[in-house]
Amino acid sequence: MTKTRARIDMPFRISSSGILSSFVIPISPLSNVTRRILPALCVFLFATVAEGQIQVDLKFKRLQYIAYEPVVATVAITNLAGRDIELHDADGQSWLGFELTGSEEQPIAPLAGANPEPPLKIAAGQRVTRQIDLTPLYPVHEFGAYHVRTNVYFADLAKFFYSGTRVFEVTDARPIWQQTVGIPDGNAASGDVRTYSLMTNRFPDHTSLYVRVQDKDSGVVYATYSLGRTIALEQPQAEIDRANQLHVLHCAAPRAWSYARIGLNGELLAHSSFMETKSRPRLVHSGNGEIAVRGGIVEAPAQTSGSKAPKLSARPAEPTNDR
């Protein structure tokens, strides 16, 4: 019986005369080399397809954050699987996770008690984003640089997909004012104390005013967040009312002032903005221990909020987020 020999047509060969011509290399149809190459080629092609099924991107709004303020990571997930998918916890794995390392490349373990992310359905070709505050999930209040990578677990393939690595830095602001007060009777935590602090931090293009509320005895920090941009030459005004809530009035821009009222657990209870006219806005005490703003013209009426620490994605126009 005559054995059939396969042909691989190579495009050219060079003859002794220097003329290019086509040539043929005969090989066995299932040579040992072919047997080794085909499985590896199939694995490579599958890996290439799998890697492209989910794209994960990670970014932060800025490079520098103040210790204990929200560090919000924006995670974007693009479905490239060619079909609708659902991301959910499975096989003992959370479908969304983060890998953090500190300044000395030491791994940062997550804090206990974090709530799992609910399942997420993504239509074919769709890109969805999630904003995740890392501050309550990981101990990222120590000063220094942190490297972060996001991982998404796709249960259908039992496979992880990763974002690129991003870096943010945690530092502390310059304290400019501080006051410790007791919690009035009738509150759940009556008898405890709170310390209000105002701080400033210089960014490349502006200076921001921060407020922090903490219990220094227990070491608990209830909230740290920005009250918006401030003019460094103008000292903010700070007053405590009869309920031991903090009132802050600061110059946010030339002839523009921002007012905020902060609760004992860090809640942003009210905020408004004023324009300077013939008189400059100022905080005054009334006869019953209340604090009010006198002078100027209200540009944005006071709004109330019950949030403990305003989410960066849902902060009101004034006080503003750092941009």
Side-chain angles (χ1 to χ4, degrees):
M1 180 180 294
T2 303
K3 293 184 179 180
T4 303
R5 299 180 67 84
R7 293 161 51 95
I8 294 181
D9 291 335
M10 304 300 289
F12 302 102
R13 74 175 178 181
I14 302 178
S15 67
S16 60
S17 61
I19 300 175
L20 296 177
S21 60
S22 64
F23 64 97
V24 175
I25 298 178
I27 64 172
S28 172
L30 289 176
S31 66
N32 291 334
V33 174
T34 306
R35 291 189 182 96
R36 290 196 299 267
I37 292 177
L38 284 179
L41 181 61
C42 292
V43 170
F44 172 77
L45 291 175
F46 175 79
T48 302
V49 172
E51 285 292 336
Q53 290 200 355
I54 295 178
Q55 178 179 319
V56 185
D57 298 299
L58 171 67
K59 67 178 182 179
F60 293 91
K61 197 167 188 178
R62 61 182 191 267
L63 173 65
Q64 187 184 86
Y65 291 86
I66 303 305
Y68 297 102
E69 81 164 303
V71 179
V72 178
T74 299
V75 180
I77 305 171
T78 306
N79 176 10
L80 302 176
R83 58 183 176 85
D84 297 352
I85 64 173
E86 180 180 88
L87 301 176
H88 55 85
D89 297 350
D91 307 321
Q93 298 287 345
S94 299
W95 73 263
L96 180 63
F98 295 89
E99 299 173 4
L100 276 74
T101 57
S103 299
E104 300 179 357
E105 299 184 358
Q106 74 277 18
I108 307 296
L111 298 171
N115 294 325
E117 284 292 314
L120 176 64
K121 293 183 179 180
I122 310 177
Q126 184 181 15
R127 176 185 174 93
V128 299
T129 60
R130 288 290 182 271
Q131 291 190 323
I132 309 295
D133 182 6
L134 299 182
T135 305
L137 304 179
Y138 294 86
V140 292
H141 55 271
E142 298 291 338
F143 301 161
Y146 294 84
H147 295 73
V148 188
R149 184 170 73 156
T150 306
N151 61 69
V152 170
Y153 181 68
F154 187 24
D156 290 8
L157 296 178
K159 184 176 180 64
F160 287 93
F161 296 86
Y162 298 89
S163 71
T165 300
R166 299 291 181 264
V167 180
F168 67 88
E169 180 187 10
V170 172
T171 184
D172 209 2
R174 182 176 69 90
I176 59 173
W177 179 90
Q178 191 172 95
Q179 181 66 58
T180 299
V181 300
I183 297 183
D185 294 337
N187 291 272
S190 61
D192 292 345
V193 297
R194 296 287 186 269
T195 298
Y196 294 112
S197 300
L198 293 180
M199 307 169 292
T200 59
N201 190 63
R202 294 190 64 180
F203 291 94
D205 60 343
H206 69 280
T207 299
S208 285
L209 178 67
Y210 280 80
V211 62
R212 176 175 292 161
V213 181
Q214 61 185 319
D215 182 342
K216 286 192 170 184
D217 293 337
S218 65
V220 175
V221 176
Y222 291 92
T224 300
Y225 52 88
S226 173
L227 294 175
R229 300 189 178 199
T230 187
I231 294 181
L233 297 178
E234 295 285 353
Q235 185 75 6
Q237 302 174 51
E239 299 288 348
I240 305 294
D241 65 18
R242 65 176 182 176
N244 279 350
Q245 295 175 353
L246 173 63
H247 298 250
V248 179
L249 182 68
H250 73 277
C251 189
R255 306 181 65 83
W257 296 75
S258 178
Y259 163 77
R261 178 166 59 94
I262 297 99
L264 288 160
N265 290 327
E267 309 95 332
L268 180 63
L269 299 175
H271 53 87
S272 58
S273 58
F274 294 80
M275 290 300 297
E276 184 177 328
T277 55
K278 294 180 180 180
S279 61
R280 174 177 290 193
R282 66 191 187 281
L283 295 177
V284 298
H285 286 264
S286 63
N288 59 359
E290 297 293 339
I291 304 293
V293 179
R294 294 287 183 266
I297 297 177
V298 178
E299 185 181 37
Q303 302 176 23
T304 58
S305 172
S307 61
K308 181 176 180 180
K311 293 182 179 179
L312 296 186
S313 60
R315 288 285 299 277
E318 223 16 91
T320 60
N321 300 325
D322 297 317
R323 301 194 177 198

